[in-house]
Each structure stands twice: as structure tokens, then as C-alpha cells.
Amino acid sequence: MHTIRLIYTSDAREDLRYRDFITIMDTAAETNRERAITGILCYGGGQFLQALEGERLAVNALYHHIATDPRHSNCQVLSVEEISTRDFAEWSMKIVDWNDAVTAARQTVLLKHSGSRHFDPANMSGQQASAFLREVAAMERLLTD
Amino acid sequence: MHTIRLIYTSDAREDLRYRDFITIMDTAAETNRERAITGILCYGGGQFLQALEGERLAVNALYHHIATDPRHSNCQVLSVEEISTRDFAEWSMKIVDWNDAVTAARQTVLLKHSGSRHFDPANMSGQQASAFLREVAAMERLLTD
Amino acid sequence: MHTIRLIYTSDAREDLRYRDFITIMDTAAETNRERAITGILCYGGGQFLQALEGERLAVNALYHHIATDPRHSNCQVLSVEEISTRDFAEWSMKIVDWNDAVTAARQTVLLKHSGSRHFDPANMSGQQASAFLREVAAMERLLTD
Amino acid sequence: MHTIRLIYTSDAREDLRYRDFITIMDTAAETNRERAITGILCYGGGQFLQALEGERLAVNALYHHIATDPRHSNCQVLSVEEISTRDFAEWSMKIVDWNDAVTAARQTVLLKHSGSRHFDPANMSGQQASAFLREVAAMERLLTD
Amino acid sequence: MHTIRLIYTSDAREDLRYRDFITIMDTAAETNRERAITGILCYGGGQFLQALEGERLAVNALYHHIATDPRHSNCQVLSVEEISTRDFAEWSMKIVDWNDAVTAARQTVLLKHSGSRHFDPANMSGQQASAFLREVAAMERLLTD
Amino acid sequence: MHTIRLIYTSDAREDLRYRDFITIMDTAAETNRERAITGILCYGGGQFLQALEGERLAVNALYHHIATDPRHSNCQVLSVEEISTRDFAEWSMKIVDWNDAVTAARQTVLLKHSGSRHFDPANMSGQQASAFLREVAAMERLLTD
Amino acid sequence: MHTIRLIYTSDAREDLRYRDFITIMDTAAETNRERAITGILCYGGGQFLQALEGERLAVNALYHHIATDPRHSNCQVLSVEEISTRDFAEWSMKIVDWNDAVTAARQTVLLKHSGSRHFDPANMSGQQASAFLREVAAMERLLTD
Amino acid sequence: MHTIRLIYTSDAREDLRYRDFITIMDTAAETNRERAITGILCYGGGQFLQALEGERLAVNALYHHIATDPRHSNCQVLSVEEISTRDFAEWSMKIVDWNDAVTAARQTVLLKHSGSRHFDPANMSGQQASAFLREVAAMERLLTD
Amino acid sequence: MHTIRLIYTSDAREDLRYRDFITIMDTAAETNRERAITGILCYGGGQFLQALEGERLAVNALYHHIATDPRHSNCQVLSVEEISTRDFAEWSMKIVDWNDAVTAARQTVLLKHSGSRHFDPANMSGQQASAFLREVAAMERLLTD
Amino acid sequence: MHTIRLIYTSDAREDLRYRDFITIMDTAAETNRERAITGILCYGGGQFLQALEGERLAVNALYHHIATDPRHSNCQVLSVEEISTRDFAEWSMKIVDWNDAVTAARQTVLLKHSGSRHFDPANMSGQQASAFLREVAAMERLLTD
Ligand SMILES: Cc1cc2nc3c(=O)[nH]c(=O)nc-3n(C[C@H](O)[C@H](O)[C@H](O)COP(=O)(O)O)c2cc1C
Ligand SMILES: Cc1cc2nc3c(=O)[nH]c(=O)nc-3n(C[C@H](O)[C@H](O)[C@H](O)COP(=O)(O)O)c2cc1C
Ligand SMILES: Cc1cc2nc3c(=O)[nH]c(=O)nc-3n(C[C@H](O)[C@H](O)[C@H](O)COP(=O)(O)O)c2cc1C
Ligand SMILES: Cc1cc2nc3c(=O)[nH]c(=O)nc-3n(C[C@H](O)[C@H](O)[C@H](O)COP(=O)(O)O)c2cc1C
Ligand SMILES: Cc1cc2nc3c(=O)[nH]c(=O)nc-3n(C[C@H](O)[C@H](O)[C@H](O)COP(=O)(O)O)c2cc1C
Ligand SMILES: Cc1cc2nc3c(=O)[nH]c(=O)nc-3n(C[C@H](O)[C@H](O)[C@H](O)COP(=O)(O)O)c2cc1C
Ligand SMILES: Cc1cc2nc3c(=O)[nH]c(=O)nc-3n(C[C@H](O)[C@H](O)[C@H](O)COP(=O)(O)O)c2cc1C
Ligand SMILES: Cc1cc2nc3c(=O)[nH]c(=O)nc-3n(C[C@H](O)[C@H](O)[C@H](O)COP(=O)(O)O)c2cc1C
Ligand SMILES: Cc1cc2nc3c(=O)[nH]c(=O)nc-3n(C[C@H](O)[C@H](O)[C@H](O)COP(=O)(O)O)c2cc1C
Ligand SMILES: Cc1cc2nc3c(=O)[nH]c(=O)nc-3n(C[C@H](O)[C@H](O)[C@H](O)COP(=O)(O)O)c2cc1C
């Protein structure tokens, strides 16, 4: 059995509304728990950036399923690597809305790991995306402590 | 622009015939050349193992297109990594039929990089698959020299 | 003289009861102390995961003896390595029942080091098992401090 | 799936004769081929030293089966490690009789990797045994080229 | 997209006055923010030392534009490297006037990273300039905390 | 004194003719020799890719002079690093016309170090450009041996 | 001049009494101070384990002198290495009686660095002995702080 | 420009008195400040050990000047290395009289980095001298904090 | 069991004659073979330099026995290290008389690994002695090939 | 005893003639042999670059003696490092006249390790000078083979 982390980005459907977002969150939390998948999903500026961690077959099945979801398009895998420890083990799926509360701290985190002050994961390298998500997770952990 | 190498495996459709195989080869050779995609595709025991190298957007677009091809199913990405040099730069797509001529040398290469003497990429780690494909490429280069 | 750490997993006999478990604990604590063997044993979901540290001959003798114990079957060695420092030096055998108190913290530790939220060591790599046991030991040390 | 290499040593039954040896060889060659197990087995001075490479479940099953074989006793595992490439991929089981032809070259190989000029694997470290077997394999490859 | 950090030094126009300095600061703060460029600019002893971080095209365009600014001359690039994390992400452009308040602490920082106690970046290596700017930034962060 | 290597790319003026190219070559060969600058210049598909090695002041002076040459535009520095050994020490300026003789070998070299089969240095990373120029130089050395 | 650390073990004469022990201590403290030798000496279960640090000639002279002392026998050097910093610089000779107060903490330290819960340095590797003595020294420093 | 650190030792003139010492200190403090030279000078047991950091030309000029000073002889350079950060940036010349206050702590520092309890730099390796001076500097910083 | 390599130097008795030398050689060759000890012994300018490889107990017993041999004095151990491969496995004891045939090649080897053109092992570091003996062995292997 | 390599550069006296050069060579060859000093001396464009290898006291004594030789001035040490193997062991002093036969190959070697096509060691870093001298030595070895 191989444990992997897959990171991808995609374009959200333009008319996506808050309600859709809640639905995704609810589904993800439930089905991922069953499949022992953990991860984080950032949404902002019409793009998604998601990390999926878990057993290789399960992560691939989920990813190929998500990729056909009409609520987004242009899925682009940024990195897939075998891991022996997960980065987001405590969350079935941590969802971070990057649209609201675009504080200075958040802008700095974005700039630190990309070429832009806007959330634009399609222009991040796999390494940047991975470091960015780890730092976002660290911020979220601070908030909930 | 990011150059990546994506390696995946899949199950070939059971009734796939030699003619279909030729068709895939012809298409791949032509369209990959246009998109500056290079790689290698092994076929054997009802499974495919393919490496796609090129610009990240192009590789992702091609992969998601291939993944819906009815001639195979259960696509499973084994690794995606950013590279600065390609391993298969001289081939638009090198196709290696692992069914015929299963020589002792070929069996040894398989055993060397996996847990099985049969071509069974779904049970290889990303690292094993990558080393296996590099060694297969080296053998092919010797044959054509 | 060679000091080694051997990690194995096995399937507990289905009708194993709490009483048997206590018996194992008592025997292990006593005989290991005499043989200068230290380690940790996790039990959960019908599987065992045990690390045995000590002199190579003693560890092998004990392991081959345990392997024939009818209270479990399908012993599978995950790793054997020569060490110069032990990880579990303070315990003749630390026994951790992974069935009770499956707290969120414990689930996170499992997910962090495996592909599953259930205790399923037969699907861990040797590296995952070793890191998992070290983290379990760290948690136990916190509890008893 | 995990590919491992397990190295163990044991004491041969005193009355073991050449005929028994041939029988072991025949069985090993055949059953290992089916289970995709590869390796090398040295016999000398009343001791065995064997490396078994393959899928973790298969190697463990075979090892525990061999360990109960009355033709030897005191099996002692020297090392178990996960590998991505095998060292003995071309042999289902290469058998090397260390009793005959104890040439100077062979004695030097023994001394180079152990504390003794006699074949005495029970006193080798796991690292010594592994380097010794690799060098023995290299010598055998030269002979058959 | 490539994120780079470019460090250069130049000679300030001799009659440069405080007013000019303020103008540069105002322009830089505004236009850099739009272009997602971050960095730090030290001024002292008639020389500038500036680090520009951001997307490669944007940084180059800005640098070539700055290089023709009549308020300085003899621009000399000390280093250009691709980065995945920025050092000065929180500042569109941090401006540090090295003329006033040349405290002992500041002199020590200069000596630590150069051959001189005067601010003389044209004689720093790229590595020295980069370490110097990181230490200056750390001091500024302390002041504003 | 600091020895550096600066690599940049630019867009050739559209109406550039063979004659202009010869003129550049003649100037470069002569003035670089005087300034102890060495390097390589590739031309293809309307773009230049040039490496300049030498004393930091001299390389910067030359680069800023070249950058204003009307025969090209959009100069973009890809990397600047301090070196203790030069890669192109035997050439004042080696000029390689990538337009003619676009052999298969040359295409393979391009693909190997970039995302494209066309000479498109503006989309190479600094690391890719540097490895590409070293491999081009190696090919040229073979031709002239 | 070469600074070395020599670690050896030996068997104490059976009838050694506390008085002899005190005599050794007194001599060592005085003569080592004169020769700038530092170190630590553990005594337990009829064995000695001693580290001697200092100038190579002085350490060798002392060691060969000690080795003929009738109060112990079977001196066995475990390691000799050139060092640039000493581990026991603050003690002319720190003497630790491992017989009394064999606390649980002490047993754990022994187990951590050897195959046995008894003080049995003849079965430690050089690396284990060296790590063990450093940890013993750390414990002693805590006691005297 | 190259920044270096040069460490040398020498024999003080036998009749050197405290007054001479003060004179050296005064000169050093003043002229080093002008030349941007920093460092540390230990005096003890009739020997000097000095580290000089700064621009290569300046350090060499000063060293060759000092070497002819009749107040010492037998100058012996222990190491010269190019550095990008200085170790003693805050001191034009820190002078440490190793004769007075030869506390236990000081003796331990000496033993830790040399073969002797006396200040005898002529028998230190370059690496020992450099580590010794850094530890002396750390002690001095503690005293003046 | 621990395999070690011990390197020591000593002063030969002044009146040592060729006959004594032959006697040592004969004894060493025979007794070392029995004890599985291998090594090399250089003699020159009144000094010995010897490497002894083998099981730790055996090497120590032999060394302490040799150290009391009246044919030399002032034995000084230069290094003792645990090894997993021997450097001199093919020789029970290779004896090299450094007095005769002091060719230019031999002098160069001496200079390369020491501060002197004369054979003066008492002034070699452990690292120098070890590299010197390896190079001497390589020269001897060439002679006998 | 410490073996070091000291590299320095200096300005030759303007009226130095070939005869003086021969005299230096003769002296160096003889006295260095006695002191077990080895090295290489390049002369060109009015500058010297010399490496001196040997015992630390001897090298320092010689260097300080050479530094006062009126046939050159402005001695500047570029590096001093402790070594365990010498680079120029076969030459008491190899003298290379960089003035005559300034072949293209020689110019390339200079450019490769410095910022200039002229022999100008005062502008080399210690690392460049050391690599340059090693490459010069390699060329000389080829010539005399
Ligand atoms: C950006 C995005 C991320 C998603 N992440 C997950 C996820 O982590 N887990 C999940 O089960 N579904 C996720 N979904 C929803 C799936 O695409 C799908 O709707 C869901 O699995 C239910 O599938 P079903 O309707 O076929 O049962 C995501 C959808 C989007 C658009
Ligand atoms: C295993 C497998 C590998 C393939 N590899 C490629 C490939 O490398 N490039 C390619 O263009 N098509 C490849 N194809 C074919 C595509 O799936 C698809 O048929 C082809 O791109 C033509 O697409 P179109 O019919 O939509 O134009 C592959 C198909 C299979 C089953
Ligand atoms: C999962 C498991 C772990 C065990 N661990 C140990 C152990 O660490 N030490 C031990 O002495 N016995 C252990 N035992 C018990 C032994 O198998 C055996 O019962 C015990 O050594 C007594 O052996 P005896 O009845 O032959 O004297 C374990 C048994 C099981 C099922
Ligand atoms: C030292 C030794 C090594 C052996 N190696 C193998 C082996 O590699 N593969 C194998 O199938 N049997 C090996 N055997 C034989 C097995 O122990 C056993 O006899 C064989 O698998 C047939 O098992 P069965 O009689 O239960 O079918 C070995 C036996 C010994 C004594
Ligand atoms: C030393 C120095 C640093 C500068 N840094 C920046 C900068 O970081 N960003 C910026 O937009 N302008 C900077 N400028 C100002 C630009 O050169 C230019 O004046 C400014 O971009 C406005 O350009 P414009 O007048 O062509 O619109 C700098 C000027 C100098 C002299
Ligand atoms: C792509 C390109 C590369 C050039 N490379 C060099 C060069 O390496 N050295 C050089 O002296 N001139 C080079 N030149 C020419 C310079 O831009 C300039 O024309 C030349 O130095 C003469 O300058 P001058 O006319 O001001 O004397 C290059 C020009 C172009 C367009
Ligand atoms: C285990 C052991 C350790 C010793 N350690 C030292 C020591 O560190 N320094 C020392 O001077 N003597 C030490 N001695 C004592 C010496 O063997 C010897 O008695 C002492 O140096 C006095 O020698 P002398 O009687 O020949 O003067 C030690 C003795 C033993 C048995
Ligand atoms: C051990 C020692 C260290 C010295 N260190 C310095 C120093 O760091 N800086 C300095 O300027 N002079 C130092 N001096 C003093 C110089 O040798 C010299 O006296 C001083 O630079 C004044 O030179 P002048 O008399 O030629 O002007 C030192 C002298 C000695 C003996
Ligand atoms: C420099 C030197 C090296 C020696 N090397 C060995 C050796 O490697 N093996 C050995 O058995 N004896 C060696 N000897 C001889 C022993 O010291 C001793 O004479 C020999 O082991 C016979 O011991 P015995 O007379 O007590 O039986 C060496 C002697 C000297 C002086
Ligand atoms: C550049 C240069 C390099 C020299 N190299 C050496 C050398 O390597 N060895 C040497 O003995 N003398 C060398 N000398 C000559 C010494 O400076 C000095 O003349 C020589 O050692 C004789 O010294 P004496 O006249 O005091 O006996 C060199 C001189 C110069 C100018």
C-alpha cells in the first residue's frame, strides 16, 4: 500500500455560490473520513487549490471523480509524491475561503510563496503550492488553538 | 512555465487488439510532437504504464484526455514531479510491447524494480516505476544503436 | 554483540479475550527483563504491532518463540536493523491497547503514519511503523509524566 | 505492496548430505520462481546464509516456512529492509557451496567482510553479511560470463 | 512562471536630496504593490543596494526601467536567483536610510558582512549582500514590533 | 574581484539579417577578448540566449551596454551567479545559429532542457538555460575536435 | 601535536576493595592534571570503562602504564580517534561507581546504549561506549549543578 | 574584494611589560578601526594568539607589519580563509589577558580545544585555535552583557 | 563480534638486524593466519608502522602482546576504528621494508601523506597513517600483479 | 605536527632578470628538499604565485624568510589550510614561467580560474588560485610524461 499526497488546482465555475461551497464541504468531510483521506482545500479568486492525502488507490479514485465535477474545470495536477507522514492528518478536509478576510498576513503568505499577491495557484510551482498549504495550515491551527 | 513528468498506470480494455494499439501509437506520435510532449508507454498483461514529460499545462491536458479514453480504465497517477531535464527527450512516444519477447533479460528488469516477475505496474511504487522506465529506455536505446 | 530492533505485525486469534492479554503482558514484562529486551506492543482491530529491541540472538530467539504462539498468526517482519541506541529503553514491554479510548488524537497519529484511520499495521511500511511506534511512545510518556 | 530483502543465518543439521542440498536447491528454484522471490544462499562450515528478496508477504511466508525446516535450526534474522531495486534479480535462488574450492580469493572475500577466515555468518553484522553476499554474487557473475 | 530575487547596487546622483528620496519611496511603494514586487532598498554613502523579488518578467522590466533612472548610475547586478520563498514578502519596498543613525549596532552588521565599516555594496559579494539585507530586514522587523 | 556568469534572453529585431549577425559576432569577439569576457550566444526563432562570464564590473558594463542595442529588446536576466571556474573559458564568444541545421540531435537537446521543441529561452528556467548552454557547448566542442 | 580520545574496557581484579578504588582516584586526579589528561572512569560488575582525552603521546604513555596495573586485566581498546574538542574537559578524571545506586534511570541509560541491563562494556561497540559515557557525564553534570 | 580571517600565533618578547601591552592595545584599536579590521588577541604564558578579519589586502599589510614588531617573534600563521561573515565584527581588537584570572572555567575552555591546560597556541591546530577564539569571544560577550 | 582496525607506531630496538626482522615476519604470518588477523607492517628509519585488522578481542590481545616485545618500544596507537570491510584482507601480514629501495616514487608517497620525506610515522596523524598505508598497499599490489 | 598548504602572491622586482630567476630556482630546489617542503611557483606579468606545502613550522619559517627577499614585494597570503594529502608531493619546487609560451591552452586555463586572461594572481580568490595551480600542475605532468 502506498500513501501519497496529490496537489492540484482548478478553475471554479463562475456562478458558484456560497451554497455550492457548503455542499462540497459537507460531502468531502463525510466521504473522505470513510476513505481515510485527509487534506486542505483553498478557494479564492475563482480558483481552487487542494491537497489530498491517503492511500494511492483511494486518492486517485477521488481525484478522478472530483475532476469531472462540473463545479470546476481545468484540473491541473501540480505534484504527486509518496509520503510516509501526512501534513494534514487532523483534517478530513480543511476548507479555507481565501476570499474573505484577505488580511495583510494572508497577502504576505501568498507573496512569500508565489509571484503574485492574488491567490493564483495555476502559477505556483508544486514546491511553492506545497509550502504555501503547509503555512496556511499552520495559520489555521493557531486560530483554532 | 513548469516542465513536469507524470507517470500513471491503467487497465487496458480486455478486447484491445493489435490494430487499436497501432492507432494509439500513430495518434500519440503525431499529437505529442506538436505539443512537445515526450515519453514512453509500456503495455503488458492487460496493463499500461506511461510516462509523459512536457510543459505542465500540456501534460495535464493530455493526461486528462487520455484518462477518458475508453480503451483503458482505472488510471492511477504514480508520480508527478517538476524536472529540469527530461529522461525520454528523444521520443515523442516510445511504445514498448511487453507481451512479446518476454526474454530473461526483461524478466530480470521487472524483478529488479518490483515485487513480481509479471508486468504489474499497479503494484509498483512511483520510484520503482520511474527507475524501471529508465532502464527499459536504456535497453531500447541499445537495440536501436 | 549486535543490538537490533525488530518490528513485526500479526493477526490476533479471533477469540482472544482481555484475560489472555493480561497473561501476555505479565509474561513479557518478566522474561524480557531477564533477557534485556525492551519494546512496545500495540493491539487493535485484531492485529498486533510489536517492536523488540535487544541483543540479536536474544531478540531472534524471542521472536521465533512468539511467532509460534497460538494466540496470533501470520507474523510478518516489517524491519530489522542494527541500532546503537534503543527507542524504548525504559520499558521491558510497553503494552498499548489501541481498542479503547480511540480518541481523535490517536486517530490523527494513525492517519499521520498510514493510509488508514484504522489500526492496520499489515499495510504500513517499515518506516511508517517505526515512526508510528515512536510517536505512540511519546504520547505514553506524556501521560505518565 | 512492499518489496523487502531479508537476510538470515542458521545452523545446518549435522548429518546434512549433498543429496539434501540438491533437494533444497530444486525446491527453491521452482517455488521461488512462482512467488517472484529472488536471492542467494551460501552454505559452508555447517552454516547457511541466505538473502530473500521479494514482496513482503511472500518473503515472510517463505521465511517462516523455511525456519521450521528440520534440515537447519537457530534461524537468526540479520536484517530486513525495504528496497526499490533488488540485488539478486537474475536468480530465483543462487546456491553457492562455500565448502569446496575454498580458494584464496574466497578466503580474502570472507576476511574482507568479517572477523574470521572461516565462513561464520552468525558473527557477521547485517551490513557485513549484505556486502559479503553482494561481492559473492559479483564473483559468481564473472564465472558465468 | 518563475519567481526570482535580483540584487543590484548603484551610485546615487551626487546632488540627490531628501525630497528625491521620498519621491522614489512613494513611487516604488505604489507600483511594486501592483506588480506583486517586494523588496528592500538601502541608501548610504552615495550608493544604493536593492533587492527586488517577484515574477521574473516583472522584476526584469522594473530593473531595466530603474537602471535608466537618472537619479543613479553604474547599476551592477550582484545576483539573480530563482526562489520558492521570498525574504521580504511583507514589504512592497522597505526603504532603509543608512546615513542617519549609523549606530554601533549598524556598523557591526556592516562589518560582519563586508570588508568595510562604511556602506560600500559595490565591494560586497552577492552572498554578502544577500546575508546583509536579510540581517537588516531582521533589525527593521524588531524595531516595528 | 568577483567572477560571475550572467545569462539573459531577449527578442531579436524582426528584420535582423545575416549581415547584422556577422557584425555582432565580429564586435563581440574583439571587445570581449580585451575585457576577458567569455561566453556563448545562441540565436533562433527570433530570440537570443547569451551567457557572459567574467569580472563582475566588466560583465555588468557589457550587459547594460548590450541591453540598449536596438538589434534586440526585452532583455530578461535569467541568472547571475558568482563562479570560481568558467564554463566557456575557451571562447571569447561562441556564436551558435540555432536556425540552420535544426537536426534531430539539436531538437532532442532542446526538449531535454525545456518544455518546448522550439528554441524559446524566455520560457526556460535559469537552471534549464544553464544546463542547455553547457550541453550546446559540449556538442560544439565535439564538432571542432 | 594531536589530541585524541581513547576508550578502553578491562576486568577489575576480583578482590578489589573500596580502598583500592580510592587510591586509583587520588593518583589519577593528580597525575592527569599534570599531563593535561581529562576523562571519565566507570566501574561496575567487575569491569572498568574509561575514556582518556589529551595529547596523543601523553594518552598513550598513560594507557600503556595503566594497562600493566595489576588491579585489572584484559584491557581492550574500543576506539581511538583524533578530536578537536574534548567531551570531558572539566574533569581530570570523573569517577562513577556504577555499583551503588543502580537506579532505574541508570538502568535505562545502560539499556539505551547496549544489549544488556548490566554494566558490561566488553560487549559494547566503540560507538555505544562513547555515547554511553557522554550520557553518563550529562547525568553527573546535572547532579552537581 | 575578498574578506579573510587570518589566525597566527607568536612568542612575546620576554621582558614585555603591562605598559607595552597597553600601548599595543591603543594602537590596534585605533588603526584597525580605520582599516575596517576586526579581531581578537589573546595573551598568555609568553605567547600571543590573534585573529585578524577584514579586506584581504588590509589584513595582509597589517599582518606583515605586525610580524616585524620587535615585541614578539616566531610568527606562525595557523589559518587563512575567505569568509562571508566575520566572527568578531563588534571589536576593532578585543584584547584578552589570559594571564590573570586563570579561572577553572578558562582552564576548561583551554583543555576543551587543545592538548594542554596551559595557553600554548603553537600546539593548536588551525581548527582548534578558531573554535577556541570563538568560545573565548562568547565568554567575553557574557561578561559585558 | 566487532571487527576493528588498529594502527600504531613504535621505535625499533637500535641493534635490530635483518635476522630479527625475518623472525618477526615468520611468526606474524603464521599466528595471524590462525587468528584471522590481517594487516601491513612498514619498517624504516628505526620506526615501525603497523595496521592490525580483525576481531576486536583478537586484535587487542595481539597488540598488547606485541607492545611488550623487547624488539621495539614506545608503542603509540594512532587510531582504532570499527570497520565493516578490511583494507588488507589478502595479507596475514604484508611486510614492507622502507629502508631499501627508497625510490623517488616512495618518497613522493611519504611526502604526500606527511610533513616529512623521511619515514617518521610518530609525526603522522591517524588519518595520514591510514591513507599512507592504503597507498603503500596499492603500490605493493601493482608490483605483485 | 601539522601539515599545511600556504598560497601567496607577490610583485616581482621590476628589473628581475632571467639569471635571478635561475638562482631562486636553484636555492629553492635544494633547501626545500632538506625541509621536506613541496610546491609550485608561477611567474608571469611581474607577479609570483606560489604554493608551499609541508610541516607548519617549516612552511611558516620559509614563508617569512621569502617575504623579506628583496626580489619581490607586497606578499599577500591567499590561503593557509591544514591538509592530510599534498597536491605537489613530487616537486621540491616546480617552477613554471608563465611569460614564455603563453599558448591558447594556457590562456584558457587562466580565464577558467580568474576574471582575467592575464596572469594576475592578486585578483584571484584563494579557491581560484588553488584550483588554478592544481590545473597547471596537471598540465606540467602531461608534458613530462
Ligand atoms: C474543488 C472541489 C473539491 C472537492 N473535494 C472533495 C473531497 O475532498 N472529497 C469528496 O468526497 N468530494 C469532493 N468534492 C465533491 C466531488 O466532486 C463530488 O461531488 C462528491 O464526491 C460527491 O460525488 P457523488 O455526487 O458522485 O456522490 C469536491 C468538489 C470540488 C468542486
Ligand atoms: C494507454 C493510452 C495511451 C495514450 N497515449 C497518448 C499520447 O501519448 N498522446 C496522445 O495524443 N494520445 C494518446 N492516447 C490516445 C488518446 O487517448 C486519444 O485517443 C488521442 O489523443 C486522440 O484524441 P481525440 O480522438 O480526442 O482527438 C493514448 C491512449 C491510451 C489508451
Ligand atoms: C503478540 C504477542 C506478543 C508477545 N510478546 C512477548 C514478549 O515480548 N516477551 C515474552 O516473553 N513473551 C511474549 N509473548 C508470549 C510468548 O509468545 C510466550 O507465550 C511466552 O514467552 C511464554 O512462553 P512459554 O510458555 O514457552 O514459557 C507474546 C505473545 C504474543 C501473542
Ligand atoms: C537453508 C534452507 C534454505 C531454503 N531455501 C528455500 C527457498 O529459497 N525456497 C523454497 O521454496 N524452499 C527453500 N527451502 C526449503 C523449504 O524449507 C521447504 O522444504 C520447501 O519450501 C518445500 O516445502 P514443503 O515441503 O512444505 O512444500 C530451504 C531450506 C533450507 C534448509
Ligand atoms: C535607487 C532607486 C530605486 C528605485 N526603486 C523603485 C522600485 O522599487 N519600484 C519602482 O516602481 N520605482 C523605483 N524607482 C523609481 C523608478 O526608477 C522610476 O522612477 C519609477 O518607476 C517611475 O517610473 P516612471 O516615471 O517611468 O513612471 C527607483 C529609483 C531609484 C533611483
Ligand atoms: C544579442 C547581442 C549580443 C551581443 N553580444 C556582444 C558581446 O558579447 N560583446 C560585445 O562587445 N558586443 C556584443 N553585442 C554588440 C553590442 O550591443 C554593441 O553593439 C557592441 O558592443 C559595440 O558597441 P559600440 O557600438 O557602442 O561600440 C551584442 C549585441 C547583441 C544584439
Ligand atoms: C582502571 C584503572 C584506571 C586508572 N586510571 C588512571 C588515570 O587515569 N591516571 C593515572 O595516573 N593513573 C590511573 N590508574 C593508576 C595507574 O595504573 C597507576 O597506578 C598510577 O598511574 C600510578 O603509577 P605509578 O605507581 O607507576 O606511579 C588507573 C588504574 C586503574 C586500575
Ligand atoms: C601581538 C601584537 C599584536 C598587534 N596587533 C595589532 C593590531 O591588531 N593592529 C595594529 O594596528 N597594530 C598591532 N600591533 C602593533 C603593530 O605591530 C605596530 O606597532 C602598530 O601597527 C604601529 O605601527 P607603527 O609604529 O609602524 O605605526 C600589534 C603588535 C603585537 C606585538
Ligand atoms: C613491530 C613488530 C610487529 C609484530 N607483529 C606481529 C604480528 O602481526 N603478529 C604476531 O603474531 N607477532 C608479531 N610480532 C611478534 C610478537 O611480538 C611476538 O614475538 C610473537 O607474537 C611471538 O610471541 P611469543 O613469543 O610470545 O609466542 C611483532 C613484533 C614486532 C616487534
Ligand atoms: C618568489 C620567490 C620564491 C622563493 N621560493 C623559495 C623557496 O621555495 N625555497 C627557498 O628556499 N627559497 C626560496 N626563495 C629564495 C629565498 O627568498 C631566499 O633567497 C633563499 O631561501 C636563500 O636564503 P638565504 O640567502 O637567506 O640563505 C624564493 C624567492 C622568491 C623571490
Side-chain angles (χ1 to χ4, degrees), chain A residues 51-144:
Chain A
L52 301 170
E53 298 173 327
E55 201 278 320
R56 192 169 72 189
L57 265 179
V59 168
N60 265 286
L62 177 60
Y63 170 67
H64 285 95
H65 186 68
I66 295 176
T68 62
D69 191 313
R71 287 169 292 189
H72 65 165
S73 54
N74 296 328
C75 283
Q76 194 186 158
V77 181
L78 305 187
S79 79
V80 173
E81 52 177 336
E82 271 161 61
I83 55 180
S84 54
T85 46
R86 305 185 186 217
D87 282 345
F88 312 105
E90 71 268 54
W91 298 311
S92 280
M93 189 48 59
K94 176 74 193 180
I95 307 208
V96 183
D97 187 340
W98 207 256
N99 285 316
D100 52 42
V102 191
T103 58
R106 281 193 160 192
Q107 286 202 29
T108 298
V109 172
L110 258 179
L111 277 173
K112 193 164 158 196
H113 301 289
S114 75
S116 156
R117 91 170 341 98
H118 305 294
F119 180 77
D120 180 17
N123 275 318
M124 283 176 167
S125 71
Q127 204 183 340
Q128 286 176 324
S130 168
F132 169 72
L133 289 175
R134 267 198 304 273
E135 191 151 349
V136 168
M139 289 171 80
E140 295 294 321
R141 276 183 201 106
L142 278 183
L143 287 183
T144 58

Side-chain angles (χ1 to χ4, degrees), chain J residues 69-124:
Chain J
D69 191 315
R71 287 170 290 189
H72 64 166
S73 55
N74 295 329
C75 284
Q76 192 187 162
V77 181
L78 305 188
S79 79
V80 172
E81 51 177 337
E82 272 162 62
I83 56 179
S84 53
T85 47
R86 305 185 188 217
D87 282 345
F88 312 105
E90 70 269 53
W91 297 311
S92 281
M93 189 47 60
K94 176 76 194 176
I95 308 209
V96 183
D97 188 340
W98 206 256
N99 285 317
D100 52 43
V102 190
T103 57
R106 280 193 159 191
Q107 286 202 29
T108 298
V109 172
L110 258 178
L111 277 173
K112 193 164 156 196
H113 300 290
S114 75
S116 157
R117 87 168 348 93
H118 305 291
F119 180 78
D120 180 17
N123 276 317
M124 282 176 168

Side-chain angles (χ1 to χ4, degrees), chain B residues 55-126:
Chain B
E55 201 277 319
R56 193 170 71 189
L57 264 179
V59 168
N60 265 287
L62 177 60
Y63 170 68
H64 286 95
H65 186 68
I66 294 175
T68 62
D69 192 314
R71 286 169 292 189
H72 63 166
S73 55
N74 296 328
C75 284
Q76 193 185 160
V77 182
L78 305 189
S79 79
V80 173
E81 53 177 334
E82 271 162 61
I83 55 179
S84 54
T85 45
R86 304 185 188 217
D87 282 344
F88 312 104
E90 70 269 54
W91 296 311
S92 280
M93 188 48 59
K94 176 74 193 179
I95 307 207
V96 182
D97 188 340
W98 205 256
N99 286 316
D100 52 44
V102 190
T103 58
R106 280 193 161 191
Q107 287 201 29
T108 297
V109 173
L110 258 178
L111 277 173
K112 193 165 159 195
H113 300 290
S114 75
S116 158
R117 93 171 338 99
H118 305 293
F119 181 77
D120 180 16
N123 276 317
M124 283 175 166
S125 71

